[in-house]
Amino acid sequence: MESLRILLAVVLSLGTASAASLGVVQTEGGSVQGRNIPLGVFRSVDVFKGIPFAAKPATFEKPKPHSGWDGILKATKFAKRCLQLSMFQTSQTLGSEDCLYLNIWVPHGQHVSSNLPVMIWFYGGGFMAGGSMGPNFLNNYLYSGQEIADRGDVIVVSVGYRVGTLGFLSSGDSSLPGNYGLWDQHAAIAWVHRNIRSFGGDPDNITIFGESAGGASVSFQTLSPHNKGLLKRAISQSGVALCPWALNRNPRKAAEEVAVKVGCPTDDRMVDCLKSTDAVTLSMAAPVVQQGSPDNPGVKNLLMTPVVDGDFLPDQPANLFHNTADIDYLAGVNNMDGHLFTLKDIPSLGNKNEETPVEDVRRLLAAYTEEKGQAGLEIAFTEYTSNWGSKPSQETIKRTAVDIGTDYIFLVPIQTAIYLHAAKATSGRTYSYLFSEPSLIAGPGKPYHDWVGADHADDLQFVFGKPFTTPKAYGDRHRDLSGYMIAYWTNFARTGDPNKGNLKVPVAWPEFTGMGHPFVDINSKMNESSIGQEMRLRFVRLWLSTLPSLPSYHATDAQ
Ligand SMILES: *[C@@H]1O[C@H](CO)[C@@H](O)[C@H](O)[C@H]1NC(C)=O
Ligand SMILES: *[C@@H]1O[C@H](CO)[C@@H](O)[C@H](O)[C@H]1NC(C)=O
């Protein structure tokens, strides 16, 4: 026993002693040194936190190159997140204007790595909030790239970008065009492309990935002509540029609201006045997403978002898919992605002791089909209630409301983006998924109804390997699922095919361009049967063809 222990100690110390590490790395701004974390015998990861990829940005200006530094930058602490409203106390801000920093995780085996695929992460948070490290989760940051880097043998980079007023305010014209947060992301991609070789990465194999507003950001980055030649692949989880909340079609109105709040005129003096207002005041004036109601769903009030600016986005997103022709694209949706939001719009939905009136479901649908008036509502309501029978159960009624939210907010626009990507692709491949692992907080004695599936953001913990990092909070099936997702995601980053790479996958994921528009249904019980076809085609048709073919109704027409 004792000798075994000594042997083990010797082996472990040998492993540590010979752990490969990059040491000091030269970047265009100067040298940086991170920290080497030994993970086992002949396995370690170098972690670099808080490397600047641009200078501290000036208010309402594109990011500019960093002027560099002397000596060795100790890259061992996450930088502050970009200035934003506190989610919990909307009268306070968090973070700093000086926030254009990125973090890098580089895995090593016995030897220092070279030419690894690179995955760049963009966080979600409704373009209003978020940070490159994510929330702290059982003493571990949600977006730590360590598990993905180690298990998938890829470099992971996570990036800070401006959000809220400072990231996305737009006057709707060239005097204050907006999209500052998207320019930040682009600057980070370009920095990685120029510098990642020194970290052992392959600048020609860069994948960007993100979730929610981060998934939409990924989509915007692939659609912009400014990333030509910088990107090879992209993964959008629960968000694309075509989502109704992702693009502000009337930015001037939102800008005027901010102007009024900070005491600026709304005439031709507005832009100069906004530009000379201090950053904290501007951040505080961000329109807050109100608690929704069935008649005014919350997602319709997300107002500081990307815009068609004629530069980063030269046209409507749907018209820009030719720019993605050579990019491999993997995208998907959670089967109850709309649950979190619909719950806020119809509070009885989440209450196990309260009934949801059918009238509330109708009102929610009326709000989402508003432009098509009564005719649109009737057609959509008939479609969504076609399986109701004469006496629908409360579960049926509540699930229908969640389906409406999921379809409108996420599923239909995501399917549309996947179709458009496949239609315009030349060398780029297309893959579609549905994530359907039941919510961990659903069931008897837990907050959610037992029928609640994969809610918004439920996928994140599995992609980032939390069941491995904090094993006590999860079961073995969650580790299986996390392993599957890391395998698909990192294989895709390595080869453009989620099935081919270093890691074994539970079922071959067919390309979307095959027969019947296949998708893979990802959950902990997946097997060879986990392939579906034409995801919710009936409802995709409703929103994409039936409703748009009806004449649009505007409130003013009625007068
Ligand atoms: C980058 O990915 C491609 C596949 O798209 C692969 O053929 C190539 O070998 C990779 N580059 C390097 C240098 O490994
Ligand atoms: C695949 O999984 C489903 C659902 O868990 C199950 O019903 C089915 O029997 C499984 N099929 C195979 C071939 O294992």
Side-chain angles (χ1 to χ4, degrees), residues 292-311:
S293 77
D295 305 311
N296 184 19
V299 289
K300 290 200 142 193
N301 298 310
L302 207 54
L303 296 172
M304 288 293 142
T305 62
V307 295
V308 173
D309 60 355
D311 184 357

Side-chain angles (χ1 to χ4, degrees), residues 248-384:
N248 190 345
R249 287 167 205 282
N250 191 357
R252 178 83 197 184
K253 184 159 168 282
E256 288 183 0
E257 277 174 32
V258 170
V260 168
K261 275 203 213 164
V262 302
C264 285
T266 54
D267 55 20
D268 56 9
R269 295 166 300 171
M270 179 179 82
V271 167
D272 284 340
C273 179
L274 285 171
K275 283 185 174 169
S276 62
T277 303
D278 81 277
V280 170
T281 307
L282 287 168
S283 291
M284 297 280 281
V288 175
V289 181
Q290 290 112 5
Q291 175 79 23
S293 77
D295 305 311
N296 184 19
V299 289
K300 290 200 142 193
N301 298 310
L302 207 54
L303 296 172
M304 288 293 142
T305 62
V307 295
V308 173
D309 60 355
D311 184 357
F312 193 83
L313 295 175
D315 198 350
Q316 292 300 320
N319 300 332
L320 293 173
F321 277 80
H322 55 277
N323 290 320
T324 72
D326 297 323
I327 295 177
D328 300 316
Y329 193 45
L330 185 157
V333 60
N334 296 356
N335 70 343
M336 295 206 191
D337 242 332
H339 178 261
L340 189 68
F341 304 90
T342 314
L343 210 59
K344 294 197 178 121
D345 298 332
I346 306 180
S348 64
L349 189 74
N351 191 328
K352 289 183 175 178
N353 303 313
E354 204 180 327
E355 303 217 327
T356 294
V358 171
E359 197 44 38
D360 282 2
V361 181
R362 249 186 105 85
R363 284 162 62 198
L364 181 70
L365 196 54
Y368 286 148
T369 57
E370 188 186 12
E371 247 185 75
K372 301 300 176 176
Q374 196 63 29
L377 171 61
E378 292 312 331
I379 288 175
F381 191 74
T382 303
E383 202 61 50
Y384 275 102

Side-chain angles (χ1 to χ4, degrees), residues 70 109 237 246 435 461:
D70 297 322
Q237 303 171 214
F435 175 75
Q461 58 197 318

Side-chain angles (χ1 to χ4, degrees), residues 98-113:
D98 185 12
C99 64
L100 303 185
Y101 295 83
L102 50 73
N103 317 305
I104 308 179
W105 286 263
V106 185
H108 303 290
Q110 192 166 359
H111 304 290
V112 172
S113 295

Side-chain angles (χ1 to χ4, degrees), residues 62 179 182-191 193-194 208 219-231 309-315 320 322-324 327:
K62 291 181 188 176
N179 288 344
L182 294 183
W183 286 109
D184 296 343
Q185 295 171 355
H186 162 66
I189 294 168
W191 188 96
H193 194 262
R194 293 193 304 270
I208 53 175
S219 174
F220 283 120
Q221 296 299 329
T222 64
L223 295 171
S224 174
H226 290 275
N227 285 312
K228 269 261 151 12
L230 299 181
L231 291 176
D309 60 355
D311 184 357
F312 193 83
L313 295 175
D315 198 350
L320 293 173
H322 55 277
N323 290 320
T324 72
I327 295 177

Side-chain angles (χ1 to χ4, degrees), residues 523 525-530:
N523 57 60
K525 294 185 178 152
M526 65 190 300
N527 60 31
E528 309 83 83
S529 321
S530 304

